[in-house]
Amino acid sequence: MKLLLDGLQQHQVDLGVAPMRLTAGVGVALIALWLAYVASAYLAAYRLADVVQTGDVTGLSERVDFPALRRSISAQIVRKYLQLTGKDLRPGSIAEQFAVGVGAAIADPIVAKLVSPEALIEFLQNGTASGVLQDRIAPMQGLSAEALGSVWRILVNSELGIARFLINVPVDKPATESFRLQFCFAAWKWRLCRVELPEPLQIALAQEVIRNQK
C-alpha cells in the first residue's frame, strides 16, 4: 500500500512539473520570436540604407512597397497644395479626406516621377528631387549607415509596433532637417511603405503642382 501511495504522489508531482515546463518553453519561444521580430525591423533599415548608398535599383524594388509609398506621398502633396491655395480643411475631417482623394490626380505626374526607383534613390540619398523640381532645395543628410548611427541611437529615435516600424533619418535631426520612414511587415518581410517628407520639400512639390496647372 505504501508503495502504491508513493507512486501516486510521484505521479502527481510529475503531472505538476510537466505543465510548468510547457509554460516555460512557450515563454522562451515567444521571447525568441519577439527578439527576432525586433532584430528584423532594424536589419531592414540598415539593408535599405546599403541599397540606397550603392544605387541598387533592383534591391530597392524588393524593399519598397511602391503603391503604398505613392499613396502616402500623394496625400502629403495634396494637403500642402490645399493649404497653399487657401483650400485647406480641418485635418482628419471627412471633407479633407475626400478632397485629398479627389485631388490625388493633380499630384500624380509629380508623384510618378518622385517615386520611380531612380528618383527615390536620389531622394533617399540627399533629400532632394532634382529630376522633379524646377527650383532647387538645399540637400540634407540622407539614408546611410552613418545617418542611422548605432543600434542604441535607432532604439531611442524609432517606434516599433505591430507590423510597423518608424524611424527618423537622420535619427537625431529636427523634423525640418529629416524625413520619417515607415516600414510595414507583410508576408514575413519588412518593406518601406511610407515616407513623411520634410516641410520644405512638401512646399516645393506642392508649388510644382500649382506651376503645372498654369
Side-chain angles (χ1 to χ4, degrees):
M1 178 63 73
K2 185 176 183 302
L3 290 175
L4 178 60
L5 291 175
D6 289 345
L8 289 173
Q9 290 176 350
Q10 184 61 43
H11 182 63
Q12 289 175 345
V13 170
D14 292 342
L15 289 176
V17 170
M20 291 176 61
R21 288 177 177 171
L22 178 61
T23 301
V26 171
V28 170
L30 290 175
I31 291 174
L33 284 173
W34 174 250
L35 291 175
Y37 173 78
V38 172
S40 68
Y42 295 108
L43 185 59
Y46 280 108
R47 284 179 172 171
L48 180 64
D50 182 61
V51 164
V52 168
Q53 289 305 305
T54 58
D56 183 357
V57 173
T58 301
L60 183 77
S61 299
E62 295 173 354
R63 290 171 172 80
V64 176
D65 182 346
F66 281 97
L69 186 59
R70 290 188 183 97
R71 290 193 296 270
S72 161
I73 292 179
S74 177
Q76 294 173 68
I77 294 174
V78 172
R79 287 191 176 94
K80 186 57 62 177
Y81 165 83
L82 293 173
Q83 292 178 11
L84 295 180
T85 55
K87 303 171 185 175
D88 55 315
L89 302 166
R90 183 168 59 85
S93 66
I94 294 177
E96 189 210 40
Q97 294 176 28
F98 178 78
V100 169
V102 172
I106 65 173
D108 279 348
I110 301 296
V111 174
K113 292 179 182 178
L114 181 62
V115 190
S116 68
E118 294 79 10
L120 182 59
I121 282 179
E122 180 196 1
F123 165 69
L124 292 175
Q125 284 177 340
N126 53 36
T128 61
S130 60
V132 178
L133 299 173
Q134 294 185 32
D135 300 328
R136 294 183 61 84
I137 62 173
M140 54 187 283
Q141 185 178 4
L143 178 61
S144 64
E146 292 74 21
L148 293 175
S150 65
V151 173
W152 173 248
R153 286 176 66 197
I154 296 181
L155 285 170
V156 173
N157 294 280
S158 64
E159 298 177 24
L160 179 62
I162 303 300
R164 69 176 194 137
F165 172 58
L166 298 97
I167 184 170
N168 291 332
V169 177
V171 294
D172 51 4
K173 295 289 186 179
T176 55
E177 301 175 27
S178 65
F179 44 91
R180 191 167 177 79
L181 307 182
Q182 178 174 328
F183 295 82
C184 297
F185 188 69
W188 301 100
K189 185 176 184 178
W190 289 102
R191 291 195 297 171
L192 180 68
C193 61
R194 178 180 172 83
V195 175
E196 294 182 20
L197 305 176
E199 183 78 6
L201 183 55
Q202 288 187 33
I203 293 174
L205 290 169
Q207 289 174 335
E208 194 69 27
V209 171
I210 294 172
R211 185 180 292 115
N212 289 347
Q213 288 184 311
K214 296 179 179 179

